[in-house]
Amino acid sequence: MKVAVFSSKPYEEASLAAANGGRHELTFLEAHLNARTAPLAAGHDAVCAFVNDNLSAPVLEGLVPGVKLLALRSAGFNHVDLAAAERLGLAVVRVPAYSPYAVAEHAVALVLALNRNIHRAHNRIREGNFALEGLMGFDLHGRTVGVIGTGKIGAVFAGIMRGFGCKVLAHDLAVNPECEAAGVQYVKLAQLFAESDIVSLHCPLTPMTRHLIDDAALSRMKTGVMLINTSRGALIDTRAVIAGLKSGRVGYLGLDVYEEEAELFFEDLSGQVLQDDIFARLTTFPNVLITGHQAFFTHEAVKNIAETTIGNITEFEATGQCANVVKLPR
Ligand code: NAI
């Protein structure tokens, strides 16, 4: 198949080319997919897209009739207008799992760095400041961690935190028996909020989970709670969290995702003036640690994403179907 690979970066191109082995004709495009760049897909049978590509109805309309397949290089598909894709006869496939360890371990890295102020200590040492004031952390052992969403990633995160000696509470639409067997206790959201010292989000972004963490949710949490989000930015109402940071209700915030990240993440904007005042405010807090959607970014995950993506395209070309198809919820 002729595949237009949007938002492509050199590190992905190498993995995709290796996984492809010359089977498909891949056109690597640095541009994000949007209404303006959609014509670049002309003459291709498939579009390969990433998390911050615009896959709304008007953009998808610009891809047909030529393009038949939309191959996502991600697990999340909240950015795709699935109803429009179905109407236009565009099959959507994704990479359902590539390394839950990559994301879960990154969430743990945020917990550890925030707790022990590693980001601040690093800066101090480089400036010859060896004072310890303001760097005191807490033992994770014996603390209560709340995990929202115990699918592939949440289950790995819960297991690691159990290994630290934490009590793990979880909330999900369905109980994961492996988590239960590992000593994770399923509770209602209200109890998880009330009892957790650390709350980590591992559920998808859906209409039900959008702004799951808002003023009301924060008001039910412990004062000084640590909040970690490696899932999707819009799970958190950023304005509410900023208010929570200012009041002290939120004691630590670790983010790998941000509501308006499409305008920022994955690009070097260091020579430009930051236009997003809300994001700019977040970066001023000493107890906020942000990474730019890099939780997935391990050798293993990038290789798996490339192999599954090429496998999806090959399967679709051969059979017109794919095991990793994303269906419109009925
Ligand atoms: P998964 O599908 O295995 O697990 C998601 C879990 O969330 C399921 O158990 C589901 O029942 C639960 N859930 C759904 N709605 C819920 C609700 N309203 N309340 C509580 N739980 C709910 O997904 P996986 O692979 O564990 O990924 C989780 C999320 O991580 C993805 O949706 C994606 O947004 C994010 N992600 C982030 C990456 C990054 O680089 N930062 C990379 C990969 C995924």
Side-chain angles (χ1 to χ4, degrees):
M1 275 187 139
K2 286 188 169 180
V3 187
V5 184
F6 281 87
S7 300
S8 87
K9 297 284 182 196
Y11 47 78
E12 287 178 298
E13 291 172 14
S15 311
L16 281 166
N20 186 38
R23 220 171 316 167
H24 304 286
E25 204 177 301
L26 307 181
T27 308
F28 293 113
L29 300 161
E30 228 181 281
H32 286 312
L33 176 58
N34 54 40
R36 200 169 41 81
T37 60
L40 294 172
H44 295 82
D45 314 297
V47 154
C48 185
F50 199 45
V51 287
N52 290 332
D53 284 314
N54 181 336
L55 301 168
S56 60
V59 177
L60 298 183
E61 280 158 12
L63 300 177
V64 293
V67 173
K68 301 275 178 292
L69 175 68
L70 182 55
L72 304 176
R73 307 198 292 288
S74 60
F77 51 86
N78 51 281
H79 56 316
V80 187
D81 187 330
L82 290 175
E86 188 176 277
R87 172 169 55 81
L88 297 166
L90 258 175
V92 181
V93 297
R94 67 174 182 132
V95 183
Y98 39 87
S99 171
Y101 309 105
V103 184
E105 289 169 12
H106 191 80
V108 175
L110 292 175
V111 170
L112 292 171
L114 278 167
N115 174 22
R116 307 307 293 268
N117 288 291
I118 303 296
H119 52 306
R120 299 181 64 203
H122 176 71
N123 289 339
R124 281 191 193 185
I125 298 294
R126 288 163 75 96
E127 291 193 359
N129 177 357
F130 302 98
L132 296 184
E133 278 79 9
L135 300 184
M136 194 182 287
F138 57 85
D139 284 8
L140 284 171
H141 186 93
R143 293 289 177 144
T144 301
V145 178
V147 181
I148 303 181
T150 53
K152 292 176 283 296
I153 296 169
V156 173
F157 177 81
I160 298 172
M161 299 317 287
R162 288 284 295 153
F164 278 123
C166 296
K167 174 179 176 183
V168 178
L169 302 179
H171 178 77
D172 198 310
L173 303 179
V175 168
N176 180 337
E178 277 178 32
C179 286
E180 242 184 357
V184 172
Q185 198 187 326
Y186 281 84
V187 295
K188 291 210 161 67
L189 209 47
Q191 188 181 343
L192 184 147
F193 286 155
E195 295 181 12
S196 298
D197 300 296
I198 299 170
V199 172
S200 193
L201 307 177
H202 299 287
C203 57
L205 176 61
T206 64
M208 191 178 169
T209 60
R210 190 183 154 74
H211 286 187
L212 181 72
I213 307 299
D214 58 7
D215 282 317
L218 291 169
S219 71
R220 286 145 74 194
M221 292 185 197
K222 281 187 173 179
T223 298
V225 66
M226 182 187 290
L227 194 56
I228 304 290
N229 187 9
T230 56
S231 270
R232 284 293 179 265
L235 294 177
I236 291 182
D237 176 350
T238 314
R239 286 172 192 276
V241 165
I242 287 175
L245 284 159
K246 287 167 78 174
S247 73
R249 168 72 63 179
V250 178
Y252 312 79
L253 177 67
L255 298 180
D256 186 54
V257 286
Y258 168 62
E259 272 185 280
E260 305 298 332
E261 69 176 52
E263 301 302 317
L264 300 171
F265 287 3
F266 304 119
E267 305 304 329
D268 179 359
L269 306 179
S270 54
Q272 298 182 24
V273 174
L274 190 57
Q275 297 296 324
D276 184 331
D277 293 347
I278 295 177
F279 187 82
R281 181 67 177 104
L282 275 180
T283 64
T284 65
F285 293 98
N287 49 351
V288 172
L289 186 51
I290 307 174
T291 52
H293 210 133
Q294 71 172 79
F296 76 98
F297 201 48
T298 65
H299 287 291
E300 292 80 358
V302 170
K303 184 167 179 279
N304 289 341
I305 290 170
E307 288 174 355
T308 305
T309 298
I310 296 297
N312 286 344
I313 295 168
T314 304
E315 186 183 345
F316 183 81
E317 184 181 36
T319 66
Q321 289 169 359
C322 179
N324 293 327
V325 75
V326 184
K327 293 214 177 79
L328 185 63
R330 302 277 175 208

